[in-house]
Structure formats: structure tokens, C-alpha cells
Amino acid sequence: GCTRSGHIQVHAIASIEPPVLSEVEMICPGERVEISADEHYTYLWSNGATTQSIIVYPQTTTTYQCTVSNSAGCTSSNEVTVPVDIAPIAAFAPEHYLTYLEDGVATVNFIDFSQNAITWQWDFGVPGDASATSTMQEPSYTYTASGLYTVTQWVRSDLGCTDSTTHQVSIQKPFNFYVPSAFTPNNDGINDIFIPKGEGVNTDDYL
């Protein structure tokens, strides 16, 4: 019937709630986004950061985890996924990279090879001509002068993500060359001078 008693102290440590992370909407690839956690003692993010908030630039959909602790050393974690839209890809080609002027004009058709795009913007590379643009998917443009033109295509996705690319087109004068078989230097104004003629010929280079 003898009894004996003793006692021990038990220290209860309160658990810690998972961190509340900010909500994130879908972004374009590489776009800046800030993710924040609510107030805690310490923070450790899956990218190695130890701050309350992080700034990231994900190229694809990425999940970030945040582990927090209190002063007693208890930890808890939560994660958030940053959805990244599929990027549009600008791509096109002129139907012909070299086109000759005919009757002073040359029309070039442009073929679209872009992906994930819903709108298109074109600049046909004519300096000083604000009308040398288009919003068609596969436009045509009529050039009126020879030269090398840089054509730019911009594309946009449904979320507003953009991409661009350029190609050059060459517009040249046609080359025709005629050498007379005879001339009559009698000062009647007809065939007085023996000189080749043609289109697309620089007469300054005659010797």
C-alpha cells in the first residue's frame, strides 16, 4: 500500500500556421513578378532567398515554396505557382527576297509563319512613310523605289505577350542593255552619238 509520486514539466510549443502567400496571375515569359508572404520570424524560399518577398522572372510556369519559422524553431511551408503564358513567336518570309521594278513598282507578298499570335503589326521599312505599315496577317506592299528595305513583324498573344523579327527585301531596277550596231554622226539629232542604252545602267561608268 506504499505510494510514491513525482512530477515532470512539459513545455508545450505552439504550432505555426503555413505562410499565406500572395496570389499571382498569369504572366508573359520573363515578366517581373513579386511574391510575398505574411509576417513571420524567418523565411526560406525555394530559390534560396530569405526575405519576406521575392522578385522573380520565370520563363515557364514555376512553383515557388516558402518555409517560415517562429522564435521557437517551429517551421511550416506553403507554395505558389506562377503561371506563364505560351510566348508568341514572330516568323515570316517575303515571297521573293529580290524583286524587280516593273513600270516603276514592285509588289512583295509576305508569308506569315508566326506561332501563338492573335494580332500582327508590320513595318515595311520605307523611311519617312508612316503609311508603309499593315495589321494583316499576310500583307502585300508595293515599293516604288529601288533599295534594300528592312521589314519588321510584331506579333501579340491573347495575354498581350509580344515578339518581333526582321527580314530584308531587295528592290532593284530591271537590267536591260542595248548596243547599237551603227550610228550617223551628221548632226541631224538622230544617232549622232554611239552610246549603249538600257534600264538599270549607270551611264556615269561609261569610258
Side-chain angles (χ1 to χ4, degrees), residues 28-146:
C28 296
E31 187 176 349
R32 179 186 186 276
V33 61
E34 182 175 2
I35 308 172
S36 299
D38 58 342
E39 190 71 31
H40 284 281
Y41 188 67
T42 65
Y43 307 87
L44 177 60
W45 295 85
S46 53
N47 66 349
T50 56
T51 52
Q52 186 173 351
S53 63
I54 58 173
I55 295 175
V56 291
Y57 303 84
Q59 294 291 335
T60 59
T61 297
T62 305
T63 297
Y64 297 90
Q65 184 182 69
C66 179
T67 300
V68 296
S69 67
N70 59 18
S71 57
C74 299
T75 63
S76 184
S77 299
N78 199 0
E79 62 184 27
V80 61
T81 297
V82 179
V84 178
D85 192 26
I86 299 175
I89 301 174
F92 75 96
E95 190 173 30
H96 302 288
Y97 285 94
L98 173 61
T99 305
Y100 289 97
L101 292 165
E102 293 186 17
D103 297 325
V105 297
T107 299
V108 180
N109 300 318
F110 295 95
I111 304 170
D112 175 52
F113 295 107
S114 63
Q115 301 176 37
N116 310 317
I118 63 168
T119 65
W120 296 261
Q121 179 70 43
W122 300 80
D123 186 317
F124 300 114
V126 182
D129 187 356
S131 66
T133 61
S134 176
T135 56
M136 296 178 62
Q137 183 176 357
E138 292 190 325
S140 299
Y141 184 76
T142 299
Y143 293 90
T144 58
S146 61

